[in-house]
Amino acid sequence: CSAAAGYEVHTIVSDFGQGLEGWRAETAVGQEVPLSWAEGEIFLEQGKQEAVDFLAPESFLHDQRLSYGQQLLVLFRTQDDTSSTPPFPIWLVLEGDDGLVVSARPSSVEGAVNGTPHEEYMVTFRLHETEGKMQPTLSSFQFQRLLSNLTELRIRIESSNKLV
């Protein structure tokens, strides 16, 4: 795949090589959840938490229309699990400047049992209105309007007691 004439590829990446890179975490009721950083990873400092939202930094917000149809890839690690699917439900939650909020399930999840106490999961969301059981259902125009001024991008994990 390559960029068409007159266009260029612009990739937004958080590899946590320099710290938290603006990412935050909070509970469903808005209480901040402390995050720690070490060796290119962020992790929760506390044990069992029923639901945690990871909030994306500014670089993932505002006019993201060029992300329409593209993939958002997230790599998670969990502790002490040998399943090929994450032991927790995960959602992508997008909010626009007009208050419209949509959520989507992943397009795909690939698990890797790597023989360590930390098992990895590559979670893929496709930024398209027909993917991932989008709730509520939006038209193409509505979804692209949402992406035109994205005010929040959250990765919601319903149960994070094993999340690294």
Side-chain angles (χ1 to χ4, degrees), residues 30-31 33 51 63 91 109 147:
Q31 182 180 5
V33 176
D63 189 355
W91 295 84
V109 177
L147 290 177

Side-chain angles (χ1 to χ4, degrees), residues 52-127:
V52 173
D53 287 357
F54 289 88
L55 287 79
E58 288 289 316
S59 59
F60 288 82
L61 306 179
H62 308 296
D63 189 355
Q64 295 297 329
R65 286 177 288 182
L66 296 177
S67 296
Y68 180 72
Q70 302 301 310
Q71 293 181 336
L72 174 66
L73 304 168
V74 183
L75 178 64
F76 284 102
R77 281 196 202 177
T78 60
Q79 294 180 3
D80 303 323
D81 195 359
T82 57
S83 171
S84 63
T85 59
F88 48 82
I90 182 170
W91 295 84
L92 174 66
V93 181
L94 304 173
E95 184 172 337
D97 67 338
D98 59 358
L100 178 62
V101 178
V102 298
S103 60
R105 300 284 294 159
S107 301
S108 69
V109 177
E110 295 179 26
V113 178
N114 59 20
T116 71
H118 300 98
E119 306 307 336
E120 295 181 346
Y121 301 93
M122 178 62 73
V123 180
T124 303
F125 297 98
R126 185 166 171 249
L127 299 176

Side-chain angles (χ1 to χ4, degrees), residues 27 32-34 43-49 52 160-161 163:
T27 65
E32 187 172 339
V33 176
F43 53 93
L44 297 172
E45 290 185 350
Q46 60 191 43
K48 187 171 174 75
Q49 182 69 42
V52 173
S160 61
N161 58 323
L163 191 64

Side-chain angles (χ1 to χ4, degrees), residues 32-43:
E32 187 172 339
V33 176
L35 291 175
S36 292
W37 172 84
E39 300 178 19
E41 295 180 348
I42 60 172
F43 53 93

